[in-house]
């Protein structure tokens, strides 16, 4: 084969045993078959060999296979959960950084926690997706012989660096969870210590202290794996006793935050007892406060500290695997949902921003319509003024086409109102002398038409300008 997996021991040997009946011995003593069972466990590190022993010690092949399938499904669930958490955390960071009204000590701590979670989620997704791609190539039997597996696990220094950065990001996340608990505890209990703690101290503790712990663990782990004959990318390092160098401080953070949570609940219950609410309402508020604080303080990560029940039943292993990896992968989403998207202050700021944007958009539309209306009115007024200035010239040249005026004597019609002897006759008033132009004089008709058109334009433009001036002017900032 052209591919090579660095997580195997090239000095060890896989073997099969021959049974007493002349057939190959199976995995369990007394089982024999023509194919037998090949033992590949010597090709793996000692920590992985212990896992195989726990999985196959009390289970048959079918139950062990179910446990491996559960582990594969939970890995897919983790990829989905971390992807959703990454999107939610990124949006929350943008909201906290964009609006000035949200910039305070509490949101600064939230932002640092979210940044640490984003870093560890990005590293996890990179490693997990890379492993899935490599395993998909391994599972493709048509390309197995010609496959060249060069995933992160098979890249020296790159693989180790990714795991060191992952453990550092996880330690930073737990340290900022401790700072969240400390700040909230001092705020609820009205502790004067919260006024004396500088934010620079929070930064130094949250980002600096995990760096020292992670550096010590990385050095010890590198020395440990350099002495082994198996050249692997720290394969199974989280099952090594050295892993407690970084795991013990995380467990201590969870324990301290548990004490903070109990004291916060005590203060909350005391205040609820003084209120006029019913007992059911008091219990509901207390439970809701506890559930809201669990993911923020990292107490849900206690399941990760519990050893996986590999030697238990399939049901026990499945319950532990699904619950643990669900809470770990969706933790970022729950924290962003509770402390950003459902936060009353954040929602008020977003609502105000939306209302201002909506008002600005409507104002721009009104100004745009008024502007175009003003342009059209101005264009009509300018054309009317231009035509009016040309009208005397047109009349000067067109008057030469007028013929001599001829007087017209109006006809008087007499109508009787009564038929009696004193019949009254209604005579219409005689108008002034009316002159009639020749019928064929079309020049006067053109002038009258021109003058009427000019008057209509002037009247229309004047009315439009007066209407435009009456519109209220509203300015939006």
């Amino acid at each position: 084969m052209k591919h090579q997996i660095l997580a195997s021991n090239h000095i060890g040997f896989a073997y099969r045993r021959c049974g007493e009946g002349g057939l190959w011995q199976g995995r369990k003593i007394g089982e024999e078959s023509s194919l037998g069972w090949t033992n590949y466990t010597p090709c793996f590190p000692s920590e992985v060999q212990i896992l195989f022993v726990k999985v196959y010690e009390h289970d048959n092949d079918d139950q062990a296979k179910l446990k491996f399938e559960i582990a594969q499904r939970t890995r897919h669930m983790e990829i989905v959960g971390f992807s959703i958490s990454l999107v939610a955390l990124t949006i929350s960071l943008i909201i906290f950084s964009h609006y000035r009204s949200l910039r305070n000590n509490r949101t600064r701590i939230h932002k640092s926690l979210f940044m640490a979670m984003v870093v560890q989620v990005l590293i996890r997704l990179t490693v997990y997706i890379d492993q899935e791609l490599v395993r998909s190539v391994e599972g493709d039997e048509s390309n197995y012989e010609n496959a060249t597996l060069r995933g992160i696990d098979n890249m020296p220094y790159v693989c180790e660096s990714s795991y060191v950065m992952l453990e550092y990001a996880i330690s930073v996340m737990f340290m900022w969870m401790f700072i969240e608990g400390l700040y909230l505890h001092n705020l609820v209990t009205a502790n004067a210590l919260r006024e004396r703690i500088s934010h620079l101290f929070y930064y130094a503790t949250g980002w600096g202290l995990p760096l020292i712990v992670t550096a010590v663990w990385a050095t010890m782990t590198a020395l440990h794996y350099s002495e082994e004959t198996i050249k692997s990318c720290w394969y199974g390092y989280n099952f090594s006793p050295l892993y407690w160098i970084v795991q013990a401080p995380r467990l201590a953070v969870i324990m301290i935050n548990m004490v903070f949570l109990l004291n916060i609940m005590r203060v909350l219950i005391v205040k609820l007892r003084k209120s006029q609410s019913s007992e059911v309402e008091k219990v509901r508020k207390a439970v809701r406060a506890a559930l809201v604080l669990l993911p923020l303080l990292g107490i849900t990560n206690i399941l990760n500290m519990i050893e996986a029940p590999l030697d238990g039943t399939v049901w026990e292993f499945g319950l532990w695997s699904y619950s643990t990896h669900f809470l770990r992968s969706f933790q970022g989403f729950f924290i962003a949902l509770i402390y950003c998207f459902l936060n009353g202050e954040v929602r008020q700021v977003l609502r105000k921003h939306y209302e201002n944007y909506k008002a600005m958009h409507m104002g721009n539309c009104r100004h745009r319509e008024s502007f175009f209306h003003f342009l059209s009115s101005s264009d009509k007024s300018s054309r009317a003024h231009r035509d009016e200035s040309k009208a005397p010239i047109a009349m000067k040249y067109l008057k030469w086409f007028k013929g001599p005026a001829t007087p017209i004597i109006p006809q008087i019609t007499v109508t009787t109102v009564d038929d009696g002897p004193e019949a009254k006759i209604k005579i219409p008033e005689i108008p002034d002398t009316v002159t009639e132009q020749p019928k064929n004089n079309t020049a006067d008709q053109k002038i009258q038409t021109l003058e009427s058109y000019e008057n209509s334009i002037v009247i229309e433009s004047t009315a439009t300008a007066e209407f435009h001036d009456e519109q209220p002017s509203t300015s939006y900032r």
Side-chain angles (χ1 to χ4, degrees):
M1 291 185 225
K2 295 183 180 180
H3 65 280
Q4 180 180 3
I5 301 176
L6 298 181
S8 59
N9 183 5
H10 304 289
I11 300 178
F13 295 94
Y15 63 90
R16 285 191 295 179
R17 296 181 182 273
C18 184
E20 297 179 356
L23 298 176
W24 292 111
Q25 185 177 344
R27 188 178 64 85
K28 294 183 179 181
I29 300 177
E31 295 180 355
E32 295 182 359
S33 64
S34 59
L35 297 176
W37 176 69
T38 304
N39 189 0
Y40 289 98
T41 53
C43 301
F44 292 92
S46 57
E47 292 83 5
V48 181
Q49 295 182 24
I50 296 174
L51 293 180
F52 287 155
V53 171
K54 290 182 178 180
V55 171
Y56 287 98
E57 185 177 6
H58 303 290
D59 299 333
N60 53 30
D61 294 341
D62 295 336
Q63 292 179 342
K65 186 178 180 180
L66 287 176
K67 290 182 179 179
F68 284 112
E69 290 179 356
I70 291 174
Q72 187 70 18
R73 294 193 192 100
T74 53
R75 176 55 57 87
H76 295 161
M77 182 184 66
E78 277 189 297
I79 293 176
V80 174
F82 282 126
S83 300
I84 297 175
S85 297
L86 178 62
V87 175
L89 291 171
T90 304
I91 296 175
S92 300
L93 283 174
I94 294 174
I95 292 175
F96 285 143
S97 302
H98 180 71
Y99 298 101
R100 293 184 178 180
S101 59
L102 298 177
R103 297 176 185 176
N104 49 46
N105 292 332
R106 178 176 54 84
T107 55
R108 289 194 188 100
I109 297 176
H110 288 345
K111 286 169 59 178
S112 298
L113 174 61
F114 289 3
M115 290 175 62
M117 298 184 73
V118 166
V119 173
Q120 69 101 8
V121 166
L122 284 174
I123 299 175
R124 283 187 185 275
L125 286 176
T126 303
V127 175
Y128 290 173
I129 294 175
D130 176 80
Q131 291 176 353
E132 289 296 323
L133 293 176
V134 171
R135 290 171 183 173
S136 64
V137 175
E138 288 180 351
D140 190 356
E141 297 180 356
S142 60
N143 299 327
Y144 188 73
E145 293 293 334
N146 299 323
T148 302
L149 304 180
R150 294 297 297 173
I152 295 178
D153 290 340
N154 296 331
M155 295 181 181
Y157 304 110
V158 176
C159 180
E160 289 85 351
S161 300
S162 63
Y163 286 135
V164 171
M165 293 176 60
L166 175 62
E167 296 302 328
Y168 171 69
I170 296 175
S171 299
V172 171
M173 181 186 69
F174 273 90
M175 189 56 61
W176 279 104
M177 287 178 178
F178 164 72
I179 295 175
E180 289 274 6
L182 177 63
Y183 181 82
L184 184 61
H185 177 266
N186 294 336
L187 185 66
V188 172
T189 58
N191 194 344
L193 184 63
R194 65 186 177 93
E195 301 294 339
R196 302 177 184 178
I197 299 179
S198 173
H199 201 72
L200 295 177
F201 174 79
Y202 288 150
Y203 275 113
T205 304
W207 296 97
L209 189 59
L211 181 62
I212 300 174
V213 177
T214 306
V216 174
W217 166 78
T219 304
M220 298 295 294
T221 305
L223 294 175
H224 169 71
Y225 279 94
S226 64
E227 298 176 356
E228 292 192 355
T229 57
I230 301 177
K231 302 300 180 181
S232 62
C233 176
W234 296 1
Y235 198 76
Y237 72 90
N238 52 331
F239 300 104
S240 173
L242 294 175
Y243 190 62
W244 281 100
I245 296 177
V246 292
Q247 195 76 336
R250 299 169 189 171
L251 181 61
V253 167
I254 293 177
M255 295 295 102
I256 295 174
N257 281 349
M258 181 67 75
V259 176
F260 287 159
L261 178 62
L262 294 177
N263 196 20
I264 291 172
M265 295 303 299
R266 180 187 62 82
V267 175
L268 180 62
I269 292 173
V270 170
K271 292 182 179 180
L272 287 176
R273 287 179 178 176
K274 298 179 181 179
S275 63
Q276 303 296 329
S277 303
S278 61
E279 293 296 330
V280 177
E281 184 68 18
K282 294 178 182 179
V283 174
R284 188 181 66 84
K285 290 182 178 180
V287 173
R288 184 178 61 181
L291 293 177
V292 166
L293 292 176
L294 285 178
L296 182 68
L297 302 181
I299 299 176
T300 55
N301 293 280
I302 191 65
L303 295 176
N304 295 326
M305 309 294 176
I306 301 175
E307 186 179 1
L310 298 175
D311 52 351
T313 62
V314 176
W315 185 84
E316 293 175 353
F317 177 76
L319 179 62
W320 174 87
S321 182
Y322 283 115
S323 58
T324 300
H325 295 90
F326 175 80
L327 293 175
R328 184 174 68 177
S329 59
F330 285 91
Q331 183 181 18
F333 170 73
F334 290 139
I335 292 178
L337 179 66
I338 295 172
Y339 293 94
C340 181
F341 302 134
L342 298 181
N343 183 268
E345 184 180 358
V346 175
R347 294 175 64 183
Q348 183 179 1
V349 170
L350 293 178
R351 188 183 301 109
K352 182 179 179 181
H353 176 80
Y354 174 74
E355 292 176 354
N356 291 339
Y357 171 79
K358 188 177 179 181
M360 179 73 71
H361 182 69
M362 295 178 62
N364 291 335
C365 293
R366 291 177 181 176
H367 285 296
R368 192 180 298 110
E369 293 177 358
S370 301
F371 179 71
F372 286 130
H373 191 69
F374 174 75
L375 287 180
S376 61
S377 303
S378 301
D379 183 61
K380 292 180 180 179
S381 301
S382 61
R383 285 188 299 171
H385 179 71
R386 184 171 58 254
D387 295 336
E388 184 180 1
S389 63
K390 294 180 180 179
I393 300 175
M395 294 184 65
K396 177 180 179 181
Y397 288 99
L398 290 175
K399 71 179 182 179
W400 297 100
F401 296 95
K402 296 182 179 180
T406 57
I408 300 175
I409 300 176
Q411 297 179 358
I412 301 175
T413 56
V414 179
T415 56
T416 59
V417 178
D418 295 328
D419 294 335
E422 297 180 358
K424 295 181 180 180
I425 301 175
K426 183 178 180 181
I427 303 174
E429 296 182 357
I430 301 175
D432 296 337
T433 304
V434 179
T435 59
E436 182 183 23
Q437 304 300 330
K439 296 181 180 180
N440 295 330
N441 192 355
T442 58
D444 286 343
Q445 297 178 0
K446 294 181 179 180
I447 294 174
Q448 293 176 1
T449 306
L450 180 62
E451 291 177 350
S452 62
Y453 179 70
E454 290 175 356
N455 294 332
S456 64
I457 292 178
V458 172
I459 294 172
E460 181 180 357
S461 61
T462 305
T464 306
E466 292 176 355
F467 175 79
H468 177 73
D469 293 337
E470 292 177 358
Q471 296 297 322
S473 59
T474 306
S475 59
Y476 298 91
R477 296 182 180 178

